[in-house]
Amino acid sequence: MIIDTNAMISITEVNQNFSAATKLADRKGEITIMKNNRPAYILTAFRDDQITFPASREIDESADKFLEKYSSDFRKMAE
């Protein structure tokens, strides 16, 4: 893994000023958070084109499967 030295921040600084870390992640796309002078975490900024939500149909299908699978349990709890 190649680490951009201009996109590193210490965990102490993140704890003290998280908004600075998020601003850096917004600018760089991804930052490395250092702990004890070693890479420990990565903070990634999401772009709008990376976020997708399921279609209403997919949600309905998932809910139907869930209800079908656990319908007997729900009936028992309702008694």
Side-chain angles (χ1 to χ4, degrees):
M1 170 198 283
I2 299 174
I3 298 173
D4 180 359
T5 56
N6 294 316
M8 293 183 346
I9 189 168
S10 72
I11 196 161
T12 302
E13 189 174 351
V14 171
N15 285 331
Q16 293 173 351
N17 192 356
F18 187 70
S19 65
T22 59
K23 287 177 186 175
L24 183 58
D26 285 338
R27 282 198 315 274
K28 297 292 186 173
E30 179 178 282
I31 62 169
T32 303
I33 300 171
M34 306 294 284
K35 183 176 182 180
N36 298 325
N37 294 321
R38 305 191 84 148
Y41 308 99
I42 294 174
L43 178 64
T44 303
F46 283 101
R47 296 185 319 263
D48 286 339
D49 63 340
Q50 291 176 310
I51 301 170
T52 58
F53 295 98
S56 178
R57 176 187 49 77
E58 293 171 317
I59 294 171
D60 290 342
E61 288 173 2
S62 294
D64 288 343
K65 287 179 186 176
F66 179 84
L67 290 172
E68 184 178 317
K69 182 175 182 178
Y70 296 105
S71 62
S72 63
D73 295 328
F74 289 128
R75 283 190 198 99
K76 288 176 187 174
M77 290 188 321
E79 294 175 352

